Amino acid sequence: MELSDGERRGDPEGERLTLPLTSRPEWSDVTPLPQDDGPRPVVAIAYKDDFREAMDYFRAVYRSDERSPRSLSLTTLVLSLNPANYTVWEFRRRVLESLGSELLCELDFTEQVAKGNAKNYQLWHHRRWVAEKLGSEAVSRELDFTRKIFLIDAKNYHAWSHRQWVLQNLGGWEYELDYCAQLLDEDVFNNSAWNQRYFVITRSPFLGGLKAMRDSEVDYAIEAIKKSPENESPWRYLRGLYKDDVESWVHDPRVASVCLSILKEQRDLLFSLSTVLDLLCHGFKPSKELADSINALRTSDPEKPDSNMEMARSICSILGSHDPMRANYWAWRKGKLLQA
Amino acid sequence: MASMASEGLTVTQRDQLMVEQEVGKIYTHFSELPPSSKSILLELQRDEHLEYLTRGLGILPPSFASLDANRPWLCYWILHSIALLDEYIEPEMEDAVVDFLSLCQDPGGGYGGGPGQMPHLATTYAAVNSLITLGGSRSLSSIDRGSLYMFFMKMKQPNGGYRMHDGGEVDVRACYTAISVASSLNLLDDELVQDVGSFILSCQTYEGGIAGEPGSEAHGGYTFCGLATMILIDEVDRLDLPRLVDWLVFRQGVECGFQGRTNKLVDGCYSFWQGGTLTLLESLHQLFHGNGLSDSSQSDASELSGDEAHATHDHSCSGHGLENTTSSINLRDTSYNFIQGRRKGGPLFDSLALQQYILLCSQLWDGGLRDKPGKNRDFYHTCYCLSGLSASQYSTSKDFDSVPLPQAVLGPYSNLTEPVHPLHNVLLSKYHDARDHFAIH
């Protein structure tokens, strides 16, 4: 008797799993359903045989809505071939529910899929569904999983959304601010980490909310600004801390102070000047020192501005030439000053 | 030398430096060329792009299996790109696309990623936009609007968002795809827009841009989706527009193209998601006229009075902008009224610089466009780079369809693409044809 390849390899079991579905006895009662692309297909993909076959069997069980263990393993197979097939993911969820399957394995499964492509919408949505079913027992695992993803790509959008969902719905806030600090320590330009920080200080039940956290966060942002004044993230974060409280924004001396020190050190003009501009637009009264620093940057019009409006217009002109990519924007800002 | 420079640099800085070096090489080389060579390099490679696109409508290699649940997108990316180039496909091919999309249409409403797949809002958007791009009675009549409306209502969530598909994710993209299609097909009504504005508003972040879900990071794709939707449902006043503009303009970097998020890398597709959003903003009177929310304290005030207005409005009008009496009729005209309006101001960004990035860095000589140098071409990037090119070329035109001056078009004037409807991203002419069709059918 001839040995099969699998038997020769000593792996008859493995061979059985790689047999085409049509050759497997457990599928013999199912008629595979070919895709109906019509008589003249367009954007037609030249599927490989194993792909085509797996999909034909999937269509059959999907059509008959068969919620069985073999359907489940079929979805595993199909998703290994195309993890972006949302219909298969959704059917898989239905099968899992009908079978009352244990869901911890789903976490392993999605981790495997993530290794192939961590930016796949469907895998993250599935993970969220599983985590919701598991409840708070899933917290540490989800936080660990997203942390692992961030080791490879600290800005993975889906992973961040997932992490936020976990925190909001299942908890785990205790060390989140520390985690943000750690990430920012590694890369102070990581805007996703800044965004997460804002998320934590505004929503964590362990912290007092934005107003309570604002003071220390202003110091934190300013420290980051001083280290890398060309980094847009902490400037935006700083402004964001005062999102709904313009009065406090204008009156916090630390804001004007950091602008002044950056300007004096000539380390960056763009964000320090645009911040001063923003302050002026909200009624801020600059100190003589700040006004002088700005005047020193003007290249035309020897007359010193004697009003906030004129200083603001000055800044728009300076930025127009210093930041030519945004010349149109600064011109628009300048024009609006006249309307205010 | 590069390794010395990268000591002490963070991952962000290193990645950014590498891209700047790649792009810098291209621009330096370009600047050293004589004018005649410059002209050639700036040409839009129409024939090559058309060849690449047309072949895509036929048989695709096995590697495309990863897009097996996105085939209406392939249709849209390809057909829209061809239309932007003012080119055509064979009538038999047009019929074939219509027939194929009909096979993707679910009897319960909506279109799936392929025949027999569950209906999904994104693939519905792609299918409908493809059919609008093809145009004509056969194509437009193939859309079952009745069941499609039912599908939208099934996907609508209590929090104002929409689910992408049965059991699927809820985000700003889903809102846009549903509202854009409903608007194009003359289906938009109070039921569909209920609470959508509040959901999108909750997705505007401290940075000024818009995220996919409340709390997530401001992102170009979601920002386009969010703003376009707010305009379509006539609630754009509720957003902090000056902050949005400020975030957007800073997304154009030294490479001349746009990045999707703060401190991330330039990518050709954001030419449309970010650049296109800026062209939308240039048409909003709120930003350009008189007491037009010139600072955030004013926008806070208008938001406050907006909420008051909601309280006093009659129930059937809730959730809509301040100045309108709001009714289903108004909702059906928001898209049309938008493009009838003239550009109010701007440009707000450097349009020629963006075109430079698209033509010199995204374009491939043998056809197709890409994210950035070093990446491969694909139909998605071809579509959105060309869409961004169009938005950019028309960004200084007074009307959405008025012919741009030569100085608005980088390279030879033959680079001019067709004008799009900036809310739906289909050709303006096709939008009008569809609107006329659905007005009487």
Side-chain angles (χ1 to χ4, degrees), chain A residues 256-282:
Chain A
S257 175
V258 68
C259 292
L260 179 59
S261 66
I262 301 294
L263 282 171
K264 273 163 60 173
E265 292 164 21
Q266 299 179 339
R267 295 167 68 203
D268 165 73
L269 285 190
L270 182 53
F271 298 119
S272 46
L273 280 179
S274 60
T275 301
V276 175
L277 175 63
D278 191 37
L279 289 168
L280 290 170
C281 287
H282 289 102

Side-chain angles (χ1 to χ4, degrees), chain A residues 35-48 51 55 59 62 81-82 84-87 90-91 93-94 119 121-122 125 128 153 155-158 160-162 164-165 168 186-192 194-196 198-199 203 228 230-237 239-241 243-246 270-271 274 278 281-282 323-326 328-330 332-333 336 339-340, chain B residues 10-13 56-62 64-71 74-75 78 92-93 96-97 100 103 111-113 115-120 123 163 165-169 171 173 205-207 211-219 222 242-243 245-247 249-254 256 259 261-264 287-290 293-297 300 347-350 353:
Chain A
Q35 181 164 277
D36 180 15
D37 256 19
R40 172 115 191 239
V42 294
V43 294
I45 301 165
Y47 307 115
K48 289 199 178 133
F51 186 98
M55 285 304 298
R59 272 182 280 272
Y62 182 63
L81 297 167
N82 179 17
N85 193 320
Y86 61 90
T87 302
E90 177 56 25
F91 183 69
R93 286 189 279 277
R94 294 175 188 175
K119 293 188 183 178
Y121 277 100
Q122 291 74 36
H125 178 66
R128 197 182 285 206
D153 175 5
K155 303 181 184 183
N156 183 317
Y157 199 87
H158 304 277
W160 278 114
S161 295
H162 182 70
Q164 289 191 345
W165 178 88
Q168 293 228 118
E186 287 162 12
D187 185 356
V188 72
F189 293 83
N190 183 344
N191 197 65
S192 304
W194 282 102
N195 184 75
Q196 184 71 352
Y198 196 89
F199 179 80
R203 300 181 195 222
S228 318
E230 76 281 19
N231 182 2
E232 187 178 345
S233 293
W235 289 101
R236 257 186 214 280
Y237 185 80
R239 183 65 183 88
L241 292 170
K243 194 160 79 85
D244 297 314
D245 190 353
V246 174
L270 182 53
F271 298 119
S274 60
D278 191 37
C281 287
H282 289 102
D323 183 28
M325 188 64 72
R326 270 161 288 281
N328 288 330
Y329 176 64
W330 300 121
W332 172 66
R333 291 289 302 269
K336 276 197 327 157
Q339 295 164 3
Chain B
T10 70
V11 171
T12 299
Q13 287 175 304
L57 284 173
I59 316 258
L60 298 162
F64 275 79
S66 58
L67 289 172
D68 189 40
N70 297 83
R71 290 168 69 199
L74 284 162
C75 292
I78 292 169
E92 302 86 57
M93 177 64 91
V97 175
F100 170 69
L103 290 170
Y111 293 78
Q117 295 180 32
M118 278 172 62
H120 186 295
T123 46
R163 247 187 222 293
H165 60 84
D166 192 11
E169 65 272 24
D171 63 27
R173 211 176 42 134
T205 83
Y206 70 88
E207 289 194 82
E213 295 176 81
S216 296
E217 198 180 352
H219 179 290
Y222 296 118
R243 197 92 187 109
V245 174
D246 190 76
W247 177 80
V249 296
F250 276 88
R251 305 288 56 81
Q252 186 171 25
V254 294
C256 299
Q259 63 189 182
R261 300 181 251 169
T262 305
N263 282 336
K264 286 215 75 184
L287 286 171
F288 293 95
H289 285 174
L293 307 165
S294 52
D295 57 43
S296 56
S297 61
D300 288 345
L348 290 167
F349 66 105
D350 192 334

Side-chain angles (χ1 to χ4, degrees), chain A residues 7-296:
Chain A
E7 283 162 330
R8 246 179 273 130
R9 274 198 316 263
D11 176 33
E13 186 61 30
E15 185 198 58
R16 201 168 61 78
L17 291 170
T18 57
L19 270 179
L21 291 160
T22 48
S23 306
R24 296 194 211 169
E26 70 270 24
W27 284 103
S28 56
D29 61 306
V30 173
T31 311
L33 191 53
Q35 181 164 277
D36 180 15
D37 256 19
R40 172 115 191 239
V42 294
V43 294
I45 301 165
Y47 307 115
K48 289 199 178 133
D49 290 339
D50 61 346
F51 186 98
R52 182 190 308 280
E53 189 193 56
M55 285 304 298
D56 287 351
Y57 276 88
F58 173 76
R59 272 182 280 272
V61 302
Y62 182 63
R63 166 79 70 88
S64 63
D65 200 13
E66 185 189 305
R67 315 251 181 125
S68 65
R70 72 177 176 182
S71 287
L72 185 63
S73 52
L74 181 56
T75 63
T76 305
L77 174 61
V78 174
L79 291 173
S80 72
L81 297 167
N82 179 17
N85 193 320
Y86 61 90
T87 302
V88 179
W89 282 103
E90 177 56 25
F91 183 69
R92 186 183 176 91
R93 286 189 279 277
R94 294 175 188 175
V95 173
L96 287 167
E97 273 187 325
S98 295
L99 295 179
S101 299
E102 199 272 288
L103 293 177
L104 282 174
C105 305
E106 285 307 284
L107 297 179
D108 296 323
F109 177 63
T110 51
E111 271 192 55
Q112 284 308 307
V113 176
K115 284 186 182 144
N117 177 15
K119 293 188 183 178
N120 166 314
Y121 277 100
Q122 291 74 36
L123 100 85
W124 288 102
H125 178 66
H126 192 76
R127 187 108 192 170
R128 197 182 285 206
W129 178 84
V130 173
E132 185 162 35
K133 295 241 176 241
L134 292 173
S136 48
E137 71 170 269
V139 170
S140 59
R141 194 152 166 184
E142 294 316 286
L143 295 181
D144 277 344
F145 177 58
T146 47
R147 191 186 270 256
K148 273 204 297 232
I149 298 287
F150 295 139
L151 287 174
I152 305 165
D153 175 5
K155 303 181 184 183
N156 183 317
Y157 199 87
H158 304 277
W160 278 114
S161 295
H162 182 70
R163 195 175 174 94
Q164 289 191 345
W165 178 88
V166 170
L167 290 166
Q168 293 228 118
N169 292 278
L170 304 179
W173 295 93
E174 291 91 325
Y175 304 108
E176 197 62 13
L177 194 61
D178 289 340
Y179 182 54
C180 291
Q182 180 205 315
L183 288 175
L184 289 173
D185 218 50
E186 287 162 12
D187 185 356
V188 72
F189 293 83
N190 183 344
N191 197 65
S192 304
W194 282 102
N195 184 75
Q196 184 71 352
R197 197 173 176 103
Y198 196 89
F199 179 80
V200 174
I201 63 159
T202 48
R203 300 181 195 222
S204 169
F206 286 89
L207 305 169
L210 179 58
K211 278 231 163 68
M213 294 296 293
R214 192 154 68 197
D215 204 51
S216 52
E217 290 302 297
V218 168
D219 289 335
Y220 184 86
I222 284 176
E223 209 192 305
I225 286 171
K226 286 187 168 155
K227 285 202 198 122
S228 318
E230 76 281 19
N231 182 2
E232 187 178 345
S233 293
W235 289 101
R236 257 186 214 280
Y237 185 80
L238 178 61
R239 183 65 183 88
L241 292 170
Y242 286 100
K243 194 160 79 85
D244 297 314
D245 190 353
V246 174
E247 276 303 299
S248 303
W249 164 246
V250 172
H251 291 110
D252 188 336
R254 293 172 289 181
V255 180
S257 175
V258 68
C259 292
L260 179 59
S261 66
I262 301 294
L263 282 171
K264 273 163 60 173
E265 292 164 21
Q266 299 179 339
R267 295 167 68 203
D268 165 73
L269 285 190
L270 182 53
F271 298 119
S272 46
L273 280 179
S274 60
T275 301
V276 175
L277 175 63
D278 191 37
L279 289 168
L280 290 170
C281 287
H282 289 102
F284 169 70
K285 305 269 182 286
S287 66
K288 182 175 187 315
E289 209 188 350
L290 183 56
D292 288 344
S293 291
I294 294 167
N295 285 332

Side-chain angles (χ1 to χ4, degrees), chain B residues 117-158:
Chain B
Q117 295 180 32
M118 278 172 62
H120 186 295
L121 281 177
T123 46
T124 297
Y125 170 84
V128 170
N129 270 8
S130 298
L131 293 164
I132 289 175
T133 301
L134 288 172
S137 168
R138 189 175 184 275
S139 171
L140 300 172
S141 307
S142 71
I143 305 171
D144 181 348
R145 293 190 295 152
S147 64
L148 184 52
Y149 183 88
M150 305 297 294
F151 175 57
F152 290 150
M153 288 307 292
K154 267 188 273 174
M155 294 303 100
K156 193 166 171 62
Q157 300 301 298

Side-chain angles (χ1 to χ4, degrees), chain B residues 170-185:
Chain B
V170 177
D171 63 27
V172 166
R173 211 176 42 134
C175 294
Y176 168 70
T177 49
I179 300 295
S180 173
V181 170
S183 171
S184 307
L185 301 182

Side-chain angles (χ1 to χ4, degrees), chain B residues 165-383:
Chain B
H165 60 84
D166 192 11
E169 65 272 24
V170 177
D171 63 27
V172 166
R173 211 176 42 134
C175 294
Y176 168 70
T177 49
I179 300 295
S180 173
V181 170
S183 171
S184 307
L185 301 182
N186 204 24
L187 292 172
L188 203 54
D189 67 11
D190 291 326
E191 310 289 319
L192 289 176
V193 309
Q194 183 84 30
D195 296 322
V196 173
S198 300
F199 177 74
I200 294 173
L201 186 61
S202 73
C203 294
Q204 183 170 24
T205 83
Y206 70 88
E207 289 194 82
I210 299 173
E213 295 176 81
S216 296
E217 198 180 352
H219 179 290
Y222 296 118
T223 297
F224 170 81
C225 290
L227 182 70
T229 306
M230 290 302 253
I231 293 172
L232 286 169
I233 67 175
D234 195 25
E235 293 188 41
V236 75
D237 293 294
R238 299 175 70 186
L239 291 168
D240 183 343
L241 294 174
R243 197 92 187 109
L244 177 59
V245 174
D246 190 76
W247 177 80
L248 274 163
V249 296
F250 276 88
R251 305 288 56 81
Q252 186 171 25
V254 294
E255 309 91 338
C256 299
F258 279 94
Q259 63 189 182
R261 300 181 251 169
T262 305
N263 282 336
K264 286 215 75 184
L265 301 175
V266 67
D267 180 334
C269 69
Y270 293 113
S271 307
F272 181 75
W273 301 125
Q274 307 282 41
T277 307
L278 281 162
T279 64
L280 287 177
L281 289 163
E282 287 162 2
S283 303
L284 296 180
H285 69 86
Q286 289 90 338
L287 286 171
F288 293 95
H289 285 174
N291 155 18
L293 307 165
S294 52
D295 57 43
S296 56
S297 61
Q298 291 211 16
S299 77
D300 288 345
S302 74
E303 197 185 301
L304 188 63
S305 55
D307 288 337
E308 287 169 356
H310 295 167
T312 55
H313 259 61
D314 131 14
H315 184 71
S316 67
C317 298
S318 66
H320 297 139
L322 304 172
E323 60 240 329
N324 301 321
T325 51
T326 64
S327 63
S328 293
I329 295 162
N330 257 353
L331 285 173
R332 294 191 179 186
D333 293 334
T334 53
S335 175
Y336 180 76
N337 290 342
F338 183 80
I339 44 161
Q340 291 308 105
R342 317 197 83 201
R343 199 164 304 280
K344 304 298 186 297
L348 290 167
F349 66 105
D350 192 334
S351 148
L352 291 176
L354 178 61
Q355 293 179 46
Q356 178 178 292
Y357 181 81
I358 295 168
L359 294 168
L360 294 181
C361 298
S362 282
Q363 191 177 209
L364 276 95
W365 277 82
D366 50 347
L369 292 99
R370 64 190 170 185
D371 163 352
K372 58 170 71 62
K375 295 282 171 92
N376 292 327
R377 67 187 177 182
D378 58 51
F379 297 116
Y380 163 81
H381 282 94
T382 301
C383 172

